[in-house]
Every structure is written in structure tokens, then in C-alpha cells.
Amino acid sequence: MNMLTILKRELTSYFTQPTAYAIVIVFGLLSTLFAFTQGRFWDYGDASLHSTFFVFHPLILMILVPAVSMRQWSDEHYTGTIELLGTFPVKMGSAIIGKYLAAAVVWALALALTFPMVLTVNYLGDPDLSTIFSGYLGSFMVCLTFLAITTLISAFTRDQVVALISSVAVCCLFTILGLEQVINEVRRTGPEAKSAVELMTKVGIFSHFFDATQGRISYTSLLYVFGLISVCLFGTNLALKSQRA
Amino acid sequence: MIEVTGLTKRFGPKVAVDDLSFSVKKGEVLGFLGPNGAGKSTTMRMVTGFLPVTAGEVTICDISMIANPQEAKRKIGYLPESAPLYNDMTVQGFLKFCASMRGLSGTARREAVAKSIETCFLENVARQSIGTLSKGYRHRTCLAQSLLHDPEVLVLDEPTDGLDPNQKLEVRKLIKNLGKEKAILFSTHILEEVTAACTRAVIVDQGTIVADGTPKELEAQGGGSLYDLFHKVTSFETPAA
């Protein structure tokens, strides 16, 4: 009940300020821009949107998700409203999940509003809609993971800029570690790099994202995403508690 | 209603509150006096369950804040020192949110919001965004949220801070009136407020109680002046809390 109250407050805040609209417009523009330039949408003829559209999402999200959520807890510290939340008869966990879910709803909307791309490929060809759906699912998994990382980092500081820079750095690391080009470079250093490559594939977000976008949602990927989210949200709770101790 | 026993708070090596004990009964307004950094806000944050205690016990209406914080918090209305608010909300929206967080819904919530708006003279700004309010209105909005659920215990950290003289007078009157039915703990460093609104007062210095009594008793201890007593029992320089 209290979680829903916080979720509602946060959603209202996103939509009464320019934040939600900025997310939708900037994400829509950037993802389309990437598809038609780097993704070479017209040349590829890829109706699944996998290698022209979805593949760029982690690169956009690693910057945009922290930009939107950097204030999630740092602002509560800065304005002192955490003192109100901490003295209401609610568990801090409800507040953390409520805030997290509100941001997740905004990102789900931002992804959903890229539907003109789906309409375009439907008009131009005969795509497999289930593969496109998997693509969206993969992108949403990336959103949820980056959102959890930003939530955790924003709990440690009252400075939004510090929260932004640190979160972007961590999200970049998770993205870059799984990039094919980076993995290939490491692989080239010799056979002793095999275990490093394995680790990078497991820790980096790209392999899990690719599996999802191609409709292969494995237990490992689910465990990776939901494990990481749980650790981050649990860590947020601990961070908020320890700051009051 | 408020029972504090042996309350201690340490931040690393620094002792902010040192073995503090006091109680506030129903119908009592306890003024919490002390210089800046004396440990007033830290004590209030522990009483309201925001800060965990290092040692000691806090009970609110016979419910332990340490063992059963959720239940104990239901009994308290709290105005934090800086009167924190969500600037992106309207006054009414904020109060509705706080009422929901206090478990009120439907007609009860509507009535509670309307009553606290009226009590704190917020009618003129009810639909205004909090971010555009003056300091006095902001303070009263935060005070209004502490009254929403008609709590048995009120903890007010410098409730008249930032108010103009007329508003100060109104808030003191309000505290005095509310104090007839509730237990109120309020901190201030304006000594006139003690005689104007309190039934009893304690003076805190460096985390310990250095004077305790009714305003008249305290004045008598200071040779007829509360100021003299305050100067006598408190230190000039206290470390920041």
C-alpha cells in the first residue's frame, strides 16, 4: 500500500516536471538516429530490428538511465525529505521499491513509444513480431539493471553530479566489458586470457542482452539481471541505514 | 507518553547525546532548550525513530521505538528542523501524500488534509507549488503534515524558525492548545517561547540535561531570569552535532 503511494508520488513527479517527457523524446530521437546512421537501417534490411535498432540501446541507456535516476536518493538526502520518509510508519524497503518501479514504468513507456520503428518494418517487410518483442524485453532488462545500479549509487551521496558521474562510469563498465570488440581484443592477447574472456562475457551486459533480443532468455541471464537488481536494491537499503547509524 | 531512558548517541568517537533521560506526559509541553550543537535535534531524531540509538530506550505511548518502530511511529507527528518538503508538489498534494503514508484514505484523508490546512492557515496557498512558497509557508506546510493523523505525541524541532512575529505567536498558541490533549516535545533556542508555550523545560548542553523544571522554577534558578540560567549552565562553544 505504501509502496503504491510512493510509486504514485514519483510518477506524478516525473510527469509534472519535464523529466518523463525528456526521457521519451531524447531516447526516441537517439535510438532512431542510431538506427538510421550507425545501424544502416536501409542497407541491412533487418526486419527483426536486432542489429539496426536494439543493438545500440545499451550504449544509449548507459548514459540516459543514470541521468534520469541520479536524483532518486541523492535528492532525498539533499532536501532532507529522507527524514520524513524515515519517520513515517513504513519500511524503507517499500520506499526503495516504489521509487524504483516508478522509474521503471517511465522507461517502459519510453521504449513503448519507439513503436513507429515497428510500424516501419511492418510496412516494409514481414518481421517476426515475437523477435521484436524479445528485443524490447532485452532493452527493458538493460534499463532495469542500470536503474538498479543508479539507485544504489544515488543512495551514497547527496550530490546529484557525483551520483551521475559514478553511475555512468559503472554502467559504462558493465556495457564495455561485454562489447564484442573489447572481448576480441582481450582474446587476441593469448590463450591465458581465456578465463578473463569468460568472466567478461558473464559480467558484461551485452551477452545477456543479445540472448534476450534473440529470444533466448536463459536462466543465467535472468539470474544475472534479477540477481544484480536484488543486490543493488538490498545494498540501497543497507546504505540508507548505515548513513543514519 | 514519551519515555526516554539512558539515551545515548555516538558518531564515531564523538558523543552527541550522553545518557539522557526525560519523560513527557499527556497534557504536557516540554521545551527542549540548548545552544546549537547541544544534541537537541539528534535526540529528537532518535525519539522519532529516524536515527538508531547507540544505547538507551525510547517508548512512545508504551510502545518501544527500538523493538516496534512501525507501531511507535504511528503515534508521532514530527516536524524536522529544516522543514523538508517535496518542491515539485502542491501543498494539498503533499499533504494528501503524507496522509496516505500515514494510512489515511478516502473521506478520512480528505477531512484530515482540510483540517490541517485550516489549522496551519494554508488556505491561500493550498493549490500552490511548494517550490514557490516563502519560508514561513514552507514551515507551516511541514507543521501541517505532522498534525494530519491527529497524533498523540508531537515532536517539533524549532517549529517557529523562519516565521514572522505574528506567525510565531499563532504557532505558540497552537502548540499550547494542542498540548492540552497531547504530549509535545519541542526544541527552540528562543527563550521567550518557554514561558509562552511550555509547561516544563529542560536545558541540554553537550548531550546532557543541565537544568529541568517548570518555566517559573527555571527562572528562579537563574535568579529571576531564564537568560542568566541559560548562560550559566551552557557552554559558549559546542562541537557541531
Side-chain angles (χ1 to χ4, degrees), chain A residues 6-7 65 75 81 101 108 113 125 143 147 155 183 217:
Chain A
I6 289 174
L7 191 147
V65 173
D75 210 33
T81 41
L101 288 182
L113 287 179
C143 280
L147 204 55
I183 289 178
I217 298 180

Side-chain angles (χ1 to χ4, degrees), chain A residues 55-124:
Chain A
V55 73
F56 299 108
H57 283 186
L59 299 171
I60 302 169
L61 295 172
M62 71 184 188
I63 312 280
L64 274 190
V65 173
V68 173
S69 299
M70 62 183 180
R71 57 183 277 274
Q72 207 161 61
W73 285 102
S74 55
D75 210 33
E76 294 277 349
H77 287 302
Y78 184 74
T79 58
T81 41
I82 188 138
E83 204 165 338
L84 283 181
L85 283 181
T87 50
F88 285 143
V90 295
K91 291 207 161 108
M92 203 45 105
S94 318
I96 294 168
I97 294 171
K99 273 171 167 282
Y100 178 79
L101 288 182
V105 168
V106 175
W107 276 108
L109 184 74
L111 283 170
L113 287 179
T114 58
F115 72 91
M117 287 300 291
V118 184
L119 294 183
T120 310
V121 287
N122 258 294
Y123 177 74
L124 294 172

Side-chain angles (χ1 to χ4, degrees), chain B residues 41 44 61 79 94 122 126 168 177:
Chain B
S41 292
M44 293 189 144
C61 305
L79 167 69
F94 172 72
L122 292 165
K168 274 186 184 163
N177 278 336

Side-chain angles (χ1 to χ4, degrees), chain B residues 153-171:
Chain B
V153 170
L154 271 176
V155 179
L156 310 171
D157 202 348
E158 300 190 10
T160 56
D161 184 41
L163 303 185
D164 66 39
N166 291 337
Q167 292 168 345
K168 274 186 184 163
L169 198 71
E170 288 299 331
V171 170

